[in-house]
Amino acid sequence: MVNTAGIVPEVMQPHPRYYDTKLALRRLIGTMESSAALPPERVLADQLATSRTTLRKALAELAAEGLLRRVQGSGTFVAPPKVVHLQQLTSLTDDLNDQGLQVSSRILALTKVPADEIVAEQLAIAPGRRIHRLERLRSVDGEPLAIEIAHLADRLPNLARRLAEHGSLYATLRDCYGIEVAAVEDTVETALTTPDEANLLGVAVGSPTLLIQRRAADPTGRAIEWTRSIYRGDRFRFVART
């Protein structure tokens, strides 16, 4: 017989006060169309029988999760569905175009720089060797989605012009330089935006992001690209398929 004397049953911790309000808001959002405006805070607080302070905390969390958009002076709106990026041996341009989304790129900088130790290790080259450093702002349907910084070790004459013509980096490497991407390795982690990143992406400083680092290789296994990308957490969902 097991002696249960002195054993205190586990007590479930109550939800934070705002959590029930957040769940009620999620149910409300589920009944609304994308980009529809939510009622004013005063009306919502009355409908949900909660304080405006509690309501604002719930709204802030749902906005951080990408379910709502809060526009200063205009109100709060249901956010459009997150963009889905499928991990493939293709570029972001190809992946999202296949989903019917219009992808555009703005080159922020294209320079030749000495490879530091981290980049040199990723590209399997000697530190100090000069490489191409390509920094771009990627947008979907006119809205900023990601900041990409690509490091490329090959000789790529007229890269800026060729990239402008093709749009996709992988298509440019293949069609203009005969360099084929045969394998990729992605690492994914979370991060918060710096002031510069937030300014480019149009989000608040400290907003959640996905940091994706990709190493691409040609059919011989030679590293040809190492890219560090910062994706908006409220607009991007990463799906890996094998």
Side-chain angles (χ1 to χ4, degrees):
M1 179 175 179
V2 179
N3 183 4
T4 59
I7 296 179
V8 179
E10 183 178 354
V11 177
M12 297 296 292
Q13 294 297 318
H15 293 312
R17 179 174 297 179
Y18 75 93
Y19 191 75
D20 288 335
T21 301
K22 179 180 176 181
L23 292 179
L25 283 170
R26 288 181 69 103
R27 289 193 291 270
L28 174 62
I29 292 168
T31 67
M32 301 175 68
E33 297 291 332
S34 176
S35 300
L38 266 67
E41 288 184 0
R42 173 181 53 79
V43 176
L44 273 178
D46 289 342
Q47 288 180 352
L48 301 177
T50 189
S51 70
R52 293 178 71 172
T53 300
T54 300
L55 175 68
R56 285 171 183 156
K57 181 171 177 59
L59 289 171
E61 283 206 1
L62 291 170
E65 293 171 6
L67 295 178
L68 293 176
R69 289 191 176 181
R70 310 184 78 180
V71 181
Q72 186 69 30
S74 298
T76 303
F77 302 85
V78 177
K82 290 188 177 184
V83 173
V84 178
H85 178 201
L86 306 180
Q87 181 185 357
Q88 300 173 337
L89 298 182
T90 53
S91 65
L92 177 69
T93 302
D94 295 331
D95 285 342
L96 297 185
N97 281 344
D98 286 346
Q99 298 173 47
L101 300 169
Q102 184 64 44
V103 184
S104 60
S105 300
R106 176 160 66 94
I107 295 179
L108 303 174
L110 176 55
T111 55
K112 293 200 72 174
V113 299
D116 61 26
E117 291 188 359
I118 294 176
V119 174
E121 180 180 359
Q122 293 294 330
L123 293 176
I125 60 176
R129 175 174 161 181
R130 295 184 69 78
I131 61 168
H132 294 276
R133 184 182 186 276
L134 171 64
E135 183 174 355
R136 295 185 293 172
L137 178 65
R138 314 301 302 278
S139 298
V140 174
D141 295 336
E143 181 180 42
L145 173 69
I147 302 167
E148 289 184 352
I149 302 177
H151 306 83
L152 307 155
D154 287 280
R155 291 185 66 254
L156 305 169
N158 302 313
L159 177 59
R161 178 169 60 83
R162 298 289 178 84
L163 194 57
E165 293 170 353
H166 287 73
S168 164
L169 175 60
Y170 285 5
T172 300
L173 292 176
R174 180 187 66 242
D175 298 340
C176 301
Y177 304 103
I179 300 172
E180 190 78 33
V181 174
V184 298
E185 179 182 272
D186 291 335
T187 61
V188 184
E189 58 188 285
T190 58
L192 302 178
T193 53
T194 66
D196 288 343
E197 292 166 349
N199 182 56
L200 287 170
L201 293 174
V203 298
V205 176
S207 295
T209 66
L210 282 178
L211 169 60
I212 301 179
Q213 299 181 77
R214 167 171 286 199
R215 182 179 181 272
D218 68 9
T220 70
R222 180 180 66 90
I224 57 178
E225 171 214 14
W226 182 63
T227 295
R228 184 180 185 273
S229 302
I230 294 287
Y231 288 87
R232 281 175 53 170
D234 65 336
R235 292 293 290 122
F236 189 81
R237 180 175 57 189
F238 186 85
V239 178
R241 289 183 176 173
T242 56

